[in-house]
Amino acid sequence: MLKDDIAQVLITEEELQAKVKELGAQIAADYRDKNPLLISVLKGAMVFMADLIRAMDIHLGIDFIATSSYDGDTSTGVVRILKDLESDIYGRHVIVVEDIVDTGRTLNYLLEILQARQPASIRLCVLLDKPSRREVPIKADYLGFSIPDYFVVGYGLDFAEKYRNLPFIGVLKPELYRKK
Ligand code: 5GP
């Protein structure tokens, strides 16, 4: 079973569901009558986004953007857009939905690109934060959980494209890293 590969469950399914409901209610209250556009960063934030929007009882739109990771080249911090939005965000209230902020480079770059398109406002909703790893100052407006510096999988987050379908957030057994 997939969960046999997990050394430690960091956040249970119940804790995730409760937190996402709380975040959804809070964002919905803040954006009532604003028809916000929620932008999910593929693929990791897909599961979070799917649950979050169902916890929001207001009109809203969704869109998706995909960026390349900087594959070992952390020095440049250059992130490329692999799939752009379908919507025009000019004048829209935008909420960027991301799975995790680590160094902050991905979001820093993405926010810069989106800001240039002149949305009415832009806020950040992040499920997980690893503050100890931050290299650029990124702060979520809505945050699920702060976690220690573990490499985590599940609830959308992968290791080599696997484990995204685990319903909780866990830490992989170290021998599975070494195998790759
Ligand atoms: P940043 O640009 O903030 O360093 O990295 C953000 C991206 O790195 C996330 O969107 C995610 O794809 C990946 N990432 C960072 N930490 C983790 C982690 O613990 N587990 C997984 N699966 N991905 C991570």
Side-chain angles (χ1 to χ4, degrees):
M1 287 173 84
L2 282 185
K3 71 174 169 48
D4 298 335
D5 294 353
I6 300 299
Q8 185 195 347
V9 175
L10 215 54
I11 308 169
T12 66
E13 184 173 1
E14 292 72 27
E15 287 168 333
L16 282 167
Q17 293 302 328
K19 181 62 80 177
V20 172
K21 284 206 168 66
E22 186 188 311
L23 286 173
Q26 192 188 343
I27 300 172
D30 292 349
Y31 284 86
R32 197 161 297 285
D33 303 320
K34 288 190 173 159
N35 188 24
L37 181 71
L38 277 76
I39 297 176
S40 164
V41 185
L42 293 173
K43 302 170 192 173
M46 178 273 265
V47 176
F48 178 37
M49 173 86 144
D51 283 343
L52 185 69
I53 58 171
R54 284 178 289 177
M56 295 176 63
D57 187 20
I58 60 168
H59 288 296
L60 56 83
I62 63 171
D63 207 339
F64 300 90
I65 196 163
T67 57
S68 65
S69 55
Y70 35 72
D71 282 329
D73 189 9
T74 49
S75 56
T76 62
V78 171
V79 182
R80 274 187 317 115
I81 291 189
L82 298 179
K83 183 219 168 287
D84 207 337
L85 301 172
E86 286 174 11
S87 336
D88 182 2
I89 64 169
Y90 179 83
R92 289 286 304 263
H93 292 286
V94 165
I95 304 165
V96 174
V97 177
E98 177 61 307
D99 52 2
I100 187 163
V101 202
D102 188 23
T103 64
R105 287 181 186 276
T106 309
L107 275 174
N108 188 49
Y109 179 77
L110 196 59
L111 289 174
E112 226 169 74
I113 290 177
L114 296 178
Q115 204 74 63
R117 300 179 187 181
Q118 301 179 19
S121 69
I122 183 158
R123 280 189 186 166
L124 192 53
C125 175
V126 175
L127 182 66
L128 305 173
D129 187 11
K130 284 188 203 170
S132 63
R133 297 255 311 161
R134 197 72 88 256
E135 289 172 17
V136 293
I138 288 284
K139 197 175 172 300
D141 300 287
Y142 304 97
L143 173 67
F145 304 89
S146 266
I147 61 168
D149 183 18
Y150 292 125
F151 186 81
V152 293
V153 295
Y155 201 69
L157 289 143
D158 76 311
F159 173 63
E161 291 299 326
K162 293 188 278 190
Y163 306 105
R164 293 191 196 276
N165 49 327
L166 282 172
F168 55 82
I169 299 282
V171 183
L172 269 189
K173 289 183 176 165
E175 58 263 34
L176 291 161
Y177 284 94
R178 285 199 289 267
K179 233 189 260 171
K180 218 205 148 209

